[in-house]
Amino acid sequence: MDLVFGWRSATLLTAAAVLVPLAFALLVTLRNRLANRTLALLILVLIGVFTPWLIGFAGFYDRWRWLTFLPVAVPLLVPAVLRFYVTALTTGALPPRWRWMLLPGLVEFAFQAVSFCLPLAAKDRWATAALPIAGPLFAFALVASFGWHVTASLRLLRRYRLSLNNAISDEGRFAARWLATALVTFAFLWSVWGVVLLWDWLWPLGYTGLMWLYLLIAAVALFLAIEGWRHATDPFPTLAMLEAAGQPTKAARDWSTQGRLWADQVAEAGWVRDPDLDITGLARRLGTNSGYLSRALNEGLGVNFSTFVNDLRCRFVVEAMEAGSSQDVLALALDAGFASKASFNRAFRAATGMTPSAYRARVSKAEKVRPSSATRRHTDRPPPTSGA
Protein backbone atom coordinates (compact mmCIF):
# COMPACT_ATOMS: atom_id res chain seq x y z
CA MET A 1 0.00 0.00 0.00
CA ASP A 2 1.35 3.44 -0.98
CA LEU A 3 1.84 6.19 1.61
CA VAL A 4 -0.40 9.22 1.16
CA PHE A 5 0.38 12.59 2.76
CA GLY A 6 -2.93 14.43 2.78
CA TRP A 7 -3.65 17.71 4.55
CA ARG A 8 -3.87 16.05 7.97
CA SER A 9 -0.45 14.42 7.85
CA ALA A 10 1.06 17.45 6.11
CA THR A 11 -0.23 19.82 8.81
CA LEU A 12 1.10 17.72 11.66
CA LEU A 13 4.40 17.12 9.84
CA THR A 14 4.84 20.87 9.35
CA ALA A 15 4.22 21.43 13.06
CA ALA A 16 6.78 18.78 13.97
CA ALA A 17 9.32 20.30 11.55
CA VAL A 18 9.03 23.63 13.41
CA LEU A 19 8.93 22.14 16.90
CA VAL A 20 12.03 19.94 16.70
CA PRO A 21 14.51 22.82 15.97
CA LEU A 22 12.90 24.92 18.71
CA ALA A 23 13.29 22.07 21.19
CA PHE A 24 16.96 21.78 20.23
CA ALA A 25 17.44 25.54 20.62
CA LEU A 26 15.99 25.35 24.14
CA LEU A 27 18.28 22.43 25.01
CA VAL A 28 21.41 24.49 24.27
CA THR A 29 20.25 27.73 25.92
CA LEU A 30 22.43 28.36 28.95
CA ARG A 31 20.28 30.78 30.93
CA ASN A 32 17.44 29.14 32.90
CA ARG A 33 19.04 25.90 31.77
CA LEU A 34 17.00 23.44 33.83
CA ALA A 35 13.70 25.10 32.95
CA ASN A 36 14.53 25.27 29.23
CA ARG A 37 15.51 21.62 29.18
CA THR A 38 12.23 20.60 30.78
CA LEU A 39 10.39 22.77 28.24
CA ALA A 40 12.29 21.03 25.43
CA LEU A 41 11.25 17.68 26.92
CA LEU A 42 7.63 18.84 27.09
CA ILE A 43 7.71 19.84 23.41
CA LEU A 44 9.13 16.45 22.42
CA VAL A 45 6.46 14.67 24.48
CA LEU A 46 3.74 16.69 22.71
CA ILE A 47 5.25 15.81 19.33
CA GLY A 48 5.06 12.15 20.39
CA VAL A 49 1.41 12.57 21.35
CA PHE A 50 0.33 13.58 17.84
CA THR A 51 2.84 11.39 15.95
CA PRO A 52 0.47 8.36 15.67
CA TRP A 53 -2.02 10.62 13.89
CA LEU A 54 0.72 12.05 11.67
CA ILE A 55 1.84 8.63 10.46
CA GLY A 56 -1.57 7.00 10.71
CA PHE A 57 -3.24 9.28 8.18
CA ALA A 58 -0.24 8.78 5.90
CA GLY A 59 -0.94 5.03 5.88
CA PHE A 60 1.97 3.79 8.00
CA TYR A 61 -0.16 1.49 10.16
CA ASP A 62 -1.88 -0.01 7.13
CA ARG A 63 1.42 -0.68 5.40
CA TRP A 64 3.35 -1.83 8.46
CA ARG A 65 0.90 -3.42 10.89
CA TRP A 66 3.68 -4.19 13.34
CA LEU A 67 3.75 -0.45 14.22
CA THR A 68 0.67 -1.02 16.40
CA PHE A 69 1.43 0.10 19.99
CA LEU A 70 4.44 2.13 18.78
CA PRO A 71 5.49 3.68 22.15
CA VAL A 72 5.82 7.33 21.15
CA ALA A 73 2.55 8.85 22.42
CA VAL A 74 2.67 9.16 26.21
CA PRO A 75 0.09 11.83 27.12
CA LEU A 76 0.39 11.08 30.86
CA LEU A 77 3.86 12.64 30.82
CA VAL A 78 2.51 16.02 29.69
CA PRO A 79 0.99 17.32 32.98
CA ALA A 80 4.00 16.31 35.09
CA VAL A 81 6.59 17.82 32.72
CA LEU A 82 4.53 21.03 32.48
CA ARG A 83 4.71 21.30 36.27
CA PHE A 84 8.47 20.64 36.12
CA TYR A 85 8.85 23.62 33.78
CA VAL A 86 6.86 26.01 35.97
CA THR A 87 8.68 24.87 39.10
CA ALA A 88 12.12 25.04 37.49
CA LEU A 89 11.53 28.61 36.26
CA THR A 90 10.21 29.90 39.57
CA THR A 91 12.42 27.99 42.02
CA GLY A 92 15.43 26.89 39.99
CA ALA A 93 14.81 23.23 40.85
CA LEU A 94 12.43 20.39 40.11
CA PRO A 95 9.50 19.83 42.50
CA PRO A 96 9.95 17.51 45.48
CA ARG A 97 9.22 13.85 44.67
CA TRP A 98 9.39 14.63 40.97
CA ARG A 99 10.29 11.02 40.14
CA TRP A 100 6.98 9.82 41.55
CA MET A 101 5.16 12.37 39.38
CA LEU A 102 6.57 10.62 36.32
CA LEU A 103 5.21 7.24 37.39
CA PRO A 104 1.82 7.41 35.58
CA GLY A 105 3.54 8.33 32.33
CA LEU A 106 6.12 5.60 32.75
CA VAL A 107 3.37 3.04 33.36
CA GLU A 108 1.64 4.15 30.16
CA PHE A 109 4.93 3.93 28.24
CA ALA A 110 5.67 0.47 29.68
CA PHE A 111 2.22 -0.76 28.62
CA GLN A 112 2.86 0.40 25.06
CA ALA A 113 6.46 -0.85 24.94
CA VAL A 114 5.59 -4.36 26.15
CA SER A 115 2.59 -4.55 23.81
CA PHE A 116 4.71 -3.33 20.91
CA CYS A 117 7.18 -6.19 21.39
CA LEU A 118 4.52 -8.89 21.05
CA PRO A 119 4.37 -11.01 17.86
CA LEU A 120 1.93 -9.57 15.34
CA ALA A 121 -0.80 -12.21 15.84
CA ALA A 122 -0.62 -11.91 19.62
CA LYS A 123 -0.51 -8.14 19.32
CA ASP A 124 -3.77 -8.09 17.36
CA ARG A 125 -5.51 -10.26 19.95
CA TRP A 126 -4.06 -8.16 22.80
CA ALA A 127 -5.22 -4.91 21.19
CA THR A 128 -8.75 -6.27 20.89
CA ALA A 129 -8.82 -7.41 24.51
CA ALA A 130 -6.80 -4.73 26.31
CA LEU A 131 -7.52 -1.41 24.60
CA PRO A 132 -11.23 -1.20 25.56
CA ILE A 133 -10.13 -1.39 29.20
CA ALA A 134 -6.75 0.37 29.17
CA GLY A 135 -7.93 3.26 26.97
CA PRO A 136 -10.56 4.65 29.39
CA LEU A 137 -8.27 4.06 32.38
CA PHE A 138 -5.43 6.07 30.83
CA ALA A 139 -7.92 8.75 29.73
CA PHE A 140 -9.29 9.13 33.25
CA ALA A 141 -5.77 9.23 34.67
CA LEU A 142 -4.83 11.94 32.17
CA VAL A 143 -7.74 14.19 33.11
CA ALA A 144 -7.05 13.74 36.83
CA SER A 145 -3.32 14.32 36.37
CA PHE A 146 -3.91 17.50 34.39
CA GLY A 147 -6.22 18.84 37.08
CA TRP A 148 -3.72 18.12 39.86
CA HIS A 149 -0.61 19.48 38.15
CA VAL A 150 -2.20 22.57 36.60
CA THR A 151 -3.78 23.51 39.95
CA ALA A 152 -0.47 23.04 41.78
CA SER A 153 1.36 25.06 39.11
CA LEU A 154 -1.16 27.93 39.33
CA ARG A 155 -0.80 27.94 43.10
CA LEU A 156 2.99 28.16 42.80
CA LEU A 157 2.77 30.90 40.18
CA ARG A 158 0.45 32.96 42.40
CA ARG A 159 2.95 32.68 45.24
CA TYR A 160 5.76 33.66 42.88
CA ARG A 161 3.94 36.74 41.56
CA LEU A 162 3.12 37.92 45.08
CA SER A 163 6.80 37.59 45.97
CA LEU A 164 7.79 39.47 42.81
CA ASN A 165 5.50 42.35 43.74
CA ASN A 166 7.06 42.49 47.20
CA ALA A 167 10.62 42.65 45.86
CA ILE A 168 10.56 43.90 42.24
CA SER A 169 9.04 47.06 40.80
CA ASP A 170 8.06 45.71 37.36
CA GLU A 171 6.74 42.15 37.27
CA GLY A 172 6.38 42.30 33.49
CA ARG A 173 10.15 42.26 33.06
CA PHE A 174 10.35 38.84 34.70
CA ALA A 175 7.95 37.01 32.36
CA ALA A 176 5.53 35.90 35.08
CA ARG A 177 2.73 36.89 32.71
CA TRP A 178 4.09 34.46 30.13
CA LEU A 179 3.87 31.63 32.63
CA ALA A 180 0.32 32.61 33.53
CA THR A 181 -0.66 32.60 29.84
CA ALA A 182 0.97 29.20 29.32
CA LEU A 183 -0.92 27.70 32.26
CA VAL A 184 -4.24 29.17 31.14
CA THR A 185 -3.60 27.71 27.68
CA PHE A 186 -2.99 24.27 29.17
CA ALA A 187 -6.06 24.60 31.37
CA PHE A 188 -8.07 25.21 28.19
CA LEU A 189 -6.39 22.25 26.48
CA TRP A 190 -7.13 20.09 29.52
CA SER A 191 -10.83 20.96 29.44
CA VAL A 192 -11.11 20.25 25.70
CA TRP A 193 -9.07 17.08 25.95
CA GLY A 194 -11.17 15.80 28.83
CA VAL A 195 -14.48 16.53 27.06
CA VAL A 196 -13.29 14.86 23.84
CA LEU A 197 -12.07 11.75 25.68
CA LEU A 198 -15.35 11.45 27.55
CA TRP A 199 -17.32 11.96 24.35
CA ASP A 200 -15.21 9.38 22.53
CA TRP A 201 -15.78 6.89 25.34
CA LEU A 202 -19.56 7.29 25.24
CA TRP A 203 -19.98 7.85 21.50
CA PRO A 204 -16.81 6.79 19.65
CA LEU A 205 -15.58 9.54 17.34
CA GLY A 206 -13.32 7.35 15.26
CA TYR A 207 -9.87 8.11 13.97
CA THR A 208 -10.96 11.03 11.79
CA GLY A 209 -13.22 12.51 14.46
CA LEU A 210 -10.34 12.74 16.94
CA MET A 211 -8.10 14.56 14.45
CA TRP A 212 -9.21 18.00 15.59
CA LEU A 213 -8.02 17.30 19.12
CA TYR A 214 -4.54 16.48 17.88
CA LEU A 215 -4.46 19.56 15.67
CA LEU A 216 -5.22 21.56 18.83
CA ILE A 217 -2.42 19.75 20.69
CA ALA A 218 0.00 20.62 17.86
CA ALA A 219 -1.14 24.26 17.97
CA VAL A 220 -0.61 24.45 21.74
CA ALA A 221 2.83 22.87 21.33
CA LEU A 222 3.76 25.50 18.73
CA PHE A 223 2.56 28.32 20.96
CA LEU A 224 4.45 26.92 23.94
CA ALA A 225 7.66 26.38 21.94
CA ILE A 226 7.71 29.79 20.25
CA GLU A 227 6.80 31.81 23.34
CA GLY A 228 8.98 29.67 25.58
CA TRP A 229 11.94 30.26 23.30
CA ARG A 230 11.20 34.03 23.26
CA HIS A 231 11.31 34.07 27.05
CA ALA A 232 14.11 31.51 27.39
CA THR A 233 16.69 34.05 28.58
CA ASP A 234 14.39 36.32 30.60
CA PRO A 235 15.48 36.86 34.20
CA PHE A 236 13.65 34.69 36.71
CA PRO A 237 14.72 35.44 40.30
CA THR A 238 14.16 32.33 42.37
CA LEU A 239 11.26 32.19 44.78
CA ALA A 240 13.60 31.66 47.74
CA MET A 241 15.57 34.78 46.86
CA LEU A 242 12.43 36.87 46.43
CA GLU A 243 10.89 35.69 49.68
CA ALA A 244 14.12 36.32 51.56
CA ALA A 245 14.35 39.85 50.15
CA GLY A 246 10.74 40.65 50.99
CA GLN A 247 10.61 38.92 54.38
CA PRO A 248 9.59 41.41 57.06
CA THR A 249 11.50 41.49 60.33
CA LYS A 250 9.85 41.21 63.75
CA ALA A 251 11.39 44.24 65.39
CA ALA A 252 8.88 46.54 67.10
CA ARG A 253 8.63 49.94 65.37
CA ASP A 254 6.12 52.54 64.32
CA TRP A 255 6.05 51.24 60.76
CA SER A 256 3.47 53.76 59.60
CA THR A 257 5.66 56.72 60.53
CA GLN A 258 8.78 55.02 59.26
CA GLY A 259 7.06 54.19 55.97
CA ARG A 260 6.02 57.81 55.41
CA LEU A 261 9.52 59.05 56.19
CA TRP A 262 11.09 56.64 53.73
CA ALA A 263 8.42 57.42 51.11
CA ASP A 264 9.24 61.12 51.35
CA GLN A 265 12.97 60.38 51.12
CA VAL A 266 12.53 58.15 48.08
CA ALA A 267 10.29 60.68 46.33
CA GLU A 268 12.73 63.53 46.97
CA ALA A 269 15.76 61.53 45.81
CA GLY A 270 14.03 60.22 42.68
CA TRP A 271 15.50 56.73 43.09
CA VAL A 272 12.44 55.13 41.54
CA ARG A 273 13.56 56.46 38.15
CA ASP A 274 15.98 53.54 38.04
CA PRO A 275 14.13 50.83 36.03
CA ASP A 276 16.25 48.10 37.65
CA LEU A 277 15.35 49.14 41.19
CA ASP A 278 14.48 46.27 43.52
CA ILE A 279 13.78 46.12 47.23
CA THR A 280 17.36 45.17 48.12
CA GLY A 281 18.81 48.09 46.18
CA LEU A 282 16.34 50.59 47.61
CA ALA A 283 16.94 49.36 51.16
CA ARG A 284 20.67 49.85 50.63
CA ARG A 285 20.11 53.45 49.50
CA LEU A 286 17.92 54.12 52.53
CA GLY A 287 20.57 52.69 54.85
CA THR A 288 18.39 49.83 56.07
CA ASN A 289 17.73 46.20 55.11
CA SER A 290 15.08 44.70 52.87
CA GLY A 291 13.24 43.16 55.81
CA TYR A 292 12.68 46.52 57.52
CA LEU A 293 11.71 48.18 54.25
CA SER A 294 9.27 45.39 53.42
CA ARG A 295 7.58 45.77 56.79
CA ALA A 296 7.38 49.55 56.47
CA LEU A 297 5.67 49.21 53.11
CA ASN A 298 3.39 46.27 53.91
CA GLU A 299 2.38 47.12 57.48
CA GLY A 300 3.08 50.83 57.57
CA LEU A 301 1.81 51.99 54.19
CA GLY A 302 -0.37 49.03 53.24
CA VAL A 303 1.20 48.39 49.83
CA ASN A 304 3.68 45.99 48.30
CA PHE A 305 6.99 47.13 46.85
CA SER A 306 5.79 47.16 43.24
CA THR A 307 2.77 49.35 43.98
CA PHE A 308 4.86 51.73 46.11
CA VAL A 309 7.49 52.29 43.42
CA ASN A 310 5.09 52.48 40.48
CA ASP A 311 2.80 54.95 42.25
CA LEU A 312 5.77 57.25 42.77
CA ARG A 313 6.72 56.89 39.12
CA CYS A 314 3.16 57.78 38.13
CA ARG A 315 3.38 60.79 40.40
CA PHE A 316 6.42 62.04 38.47
CA VAL A 317 4.55 61.61 35.17
CA VAL A 318 1.48 63.43 36.51
CA GLU A 319 3.62 66.32 37.80
CA ALA A 320 5.33 66.62 34.42
CA MET A 321 1.97 66.68 32.61
CA GLU A 322 0.55 69.32 34.96
CA ALA A 323 3.71 71.39 34.57
CA GLY A 324 2.99 71.57 30.84
CA SER A 325 5.65 69.19 29.56
CA SER A 326 5.44 68.66 25.79
CA GLN A 327 7.22 65.30 25.91
CA ASP A 328 5.44 62.22 24.61
CA VAL A 329 3.68 60.27 27.37
CA LEU A 330 5.85 57.21 26.75
CA ALA A 331 9.01 59.34 27.02
CA LEU A 332 7.75 60.67 30.36
CA ALA A 333 7.05 57.11 31.53
CA LEU A 334 10.51 55.86 30.56
CA ASP A 335 12.10 58.88 32.24
CA ALA A 336 10.11 58.08 35.39
CA GLY A 337 11.59 54.57 35.48
CA PHE A 338 9.03 52.37 33.72
CA ALA A 339 10.58 49.71 31.51
CA SER A 340 7.66 49.25 29.11
CA LYS A 341 4.52 50.95 27.89
CA ALA A 342 2.33 48.06 29.05
CA SER A 343 3.55 48.17 32.66
CA PHE A 344 3.20 51.97 32.69
CA ASN A 345 -0.38 51.90 31.40
CA ARG A 346 -1.41 49.32 34.02
CA ALA A 347 0.22 51.22 36.87
CA PHE A 348 -1.09 54.62 35.77
CA ARG A 349 -4.67 53.40 35.51
CA ALA A 350 -4.39 51.73 38.93
CA ALA A 351 -2.93 54.90 40.48
CA THR A 352 -5.17 57.56 38.91
CA GLY A 353 -8.22 55.70 37.64
CA MET A 354 -7.57 57.07 34.14
CA THR A 355 -5.47 56.20 31.13
CA PRO A 356 -2.38 58.39 30.53
CA SER A 357 -3.86 59.86 27.33
CA ALA A 358 -7.14 60.70 29.08
CA TYR A 359 -5.27 62.37 31.93
CA ARG A 360 -3.18 64.44 29.51
CA ALA A 361 -6.30 65.45 27.58
CA ARG A 362 -7.88 66.56 30.84
CA VAL A 363 -4.84 68.63 31.71
CA SER A 364 -4.65 70.15 28.23
CA LYS A 365 -8.20 71.49 28.56
CA ALA A 366 -6.92 73.60 31.43
CA GLU A 367 -9.36 72.03 33.86
CA LYS A 368 -8.50 72.34 37.49
CA VAL A 369 -7.37 68.82 38.29
CA ARG A 370 -7.04 67.70 41.84
CA PRO A 371 -4.27 65.08 42.18
CA SER A 372 -5.76 61.68 42.85
CA SER A 373 -5.17 60.02 46.18
CA ALA A 374 -2.82 57.64 44.38
CA THR A 375 -0.53 60.56 43.38
CA ARG A 376 -0.69 62.28 46.81
CA ARG A 377 -0.54 59.35 49.14
CA HIS A 378 3.21 59.16 49.64
CA THR A 379 3.35 62.71 51.01
CA ASP A 380 -0.03 63.10 52.70
CA ARG A 381 -0.89 59.75 54.14
CA PRO A 382 -0.25 56.03 53.82
CA PRO A 383 -1.41 54.39 50.57
CA PRO A 384 -4.54 52.25 50.57
CA THR A 385 -4.09 48.54 50.95
CA SER A 386 -3.11 46.98 47.61
CA GLY A 387 -1.56 43.57 47.19
CA ALA A 388 0.26 43.62 50.53
Side-chain angles (χ1 to χ4, degrees):
M1 180 177 179
D2 293 332
L3 300 180
V4 180
F5 282 89
W7 69 267
R8 296 178 178 87
S9 294
T11 302
L12 294 176
L13 182 61
T14 302
V18 175
L19 289 168
V20 170
L22 286 172
F24 178 77
L26 287 165
L27 280 173
V28 299
T29 302
L30 295 179
R31 191 165 191 176
N32 303 319
R33 191 170 185 179
L34 177 61
N36 288 325
R37 287 186 171 186
T38 58
L39 179 57
L41 175 61
L42 178 56
I43 293 167
L44 294 175
V45 170
L46 289 171
I47 294 173
V49 169
F50 65 74
T51 292
W53 265 254
L54 191 164
I55 65 176
F57 279 106
F60 279 61
Y61 289 106
D62 294 323
R63 185 166 184 176
W64 298 293
R65 289 178 54 207
W66 56 267
L67 287 174
T68 303
F69 287 112
L70 181 68
V72 292
V74 191
L76 274 172
L77 286 176
V78 174
V81 180
L82 171 65
R83 183 172 175 182
F84 292 176
Y85 175 59
V86 175
T87 307
L89 263 188
T90 54
T91 70
L94 294 177
R97 299 181 297 278
W98 62 270
R99 291 179 180 84
W100 288 103
M101 296 178 189
L102 291 173
L103 186 59
L106 295 178
V107 169
E108 184 177 29
F109 174 79
F111 170 79
Q112 295 178 15
V114 171
S115 302
F116 180 72
C117 294
L118 294 173
L120 184 58
K123 184 185 296 188
D124 289 340
R125 292 193 298 271
W126 175 242
T128 302
L131 285 180
I133 299 173
L137 287 177
F138 285 134
F140 176 78
L142 178 65
V143 173
S145 182
F146 254 125
W148 177 41
H149 288 298
V150 170
T151 300
S153 298
L154 287 170
R155 194 181 304 120
L156 176 61
L157 180 59
R158 181 177 180 275
R159 179 181 163 194
Y160 185 75
R161 294 181 72 171
L162 287 174
S163 298
L164 266 180
N165 284 329
N166 280 325
I168 303 295
S169 62
D170 188 355
E171 174 200 294
R173 299 182 66 195
F174 298 90
R177 290 181 181 274
W178 144 240
L179 267 183
T181 303
L183 286 174
V184 169
T185 302
F186 266 93
F188 169 73
L189 176 62
W190 165 46
S191 62
V192 173
W193 207 334
V195 169
V196 170
L197 290 177
L198 177 61
W199 189 285
D200 184 56
W201 183 36
L202 297 175
W203 300 282
L205 295 170
Y207 206 70
T208 303
L210 286 169
M211 177 64 189
W212 301 105
L213 171 62
Y214 291 91
L215 287 175
L216 176 62
I217 293 171
V220 169
L222 283 168
F223 167 76
L224 186 71
I226 293 170
E227 288 299 302
W229 181 73
R230 284 185 60 239
H231 295 287
T233 59
D234 285 350
F236 274 88
T238 64
L239 184 61
M241 182 182 73
L242 291 171
E243 290 182 337
Q247 184 65 37
T249 62
K250 297 183 179 180
R253 281 194 182 187
D254 182 353
W255 294 114
S256 179
T257 300
Q258 183 65 74
R260 286 195 295 270
L261 290 173
W262 279 337
D264 291 341
Q265 186 177 347
V266 173
E268 183 177 353
W271 291 324
V272 295
R273 295 180 186 271
D274 177 5
D276 295 319
L277 186 68
D278 59 18
I279 194 169
T280 304
L282 183 57
R284 190 181 304 116
R285 295 183 188 192
L286 289 168
T288 184
N289 60 60
S290 58
Y292 282 131
L293 178 56
S294 177
R295 192 154 191 174
L297 298 180
N298 283 274
E299 296 185 22
L301 300 183
V303 294
N304 58 39
F305 177 77
S306 177
T307 301
F308 170 75
V309 170
N310 287 329
D311 280 355
L312 280 179
R313 289 171 176 168
C314 290
R315 174 182 170 183
F316 290 139
V317 174
V318 166
E319 289 175 349
M321 288 181 182
E322 295 183 346
S325 173
S326 60
Q327 276 189 291
D328 178 77
V329 172
L330 180 58
L332 292 175
L334 296 176
D335 184 59
F338 286 101
S340 69
K341 182 178 180 180
S343 57
F344 165 61
N345 287 338
R346 286 194 302 270
F348 195 90
R349 181 184 285 274
T352 67
M354 302 175 66
T355 64
S357 56
Y359 198 98
R360 166 156 271 182
R362 182 179 174 185
V363 171
S364 67
K365 291 179 182 177
E367 294 180 1
K368 185 177 180 181
V369 180
R370 290 184 60 192
S372 69
S373 61
T375 62
R376 292 185 288 109
R377 61 190 177 199
H378 295 301
T379 56
D380 300 337
R381 57 186 176 83
T385 301
S386 176

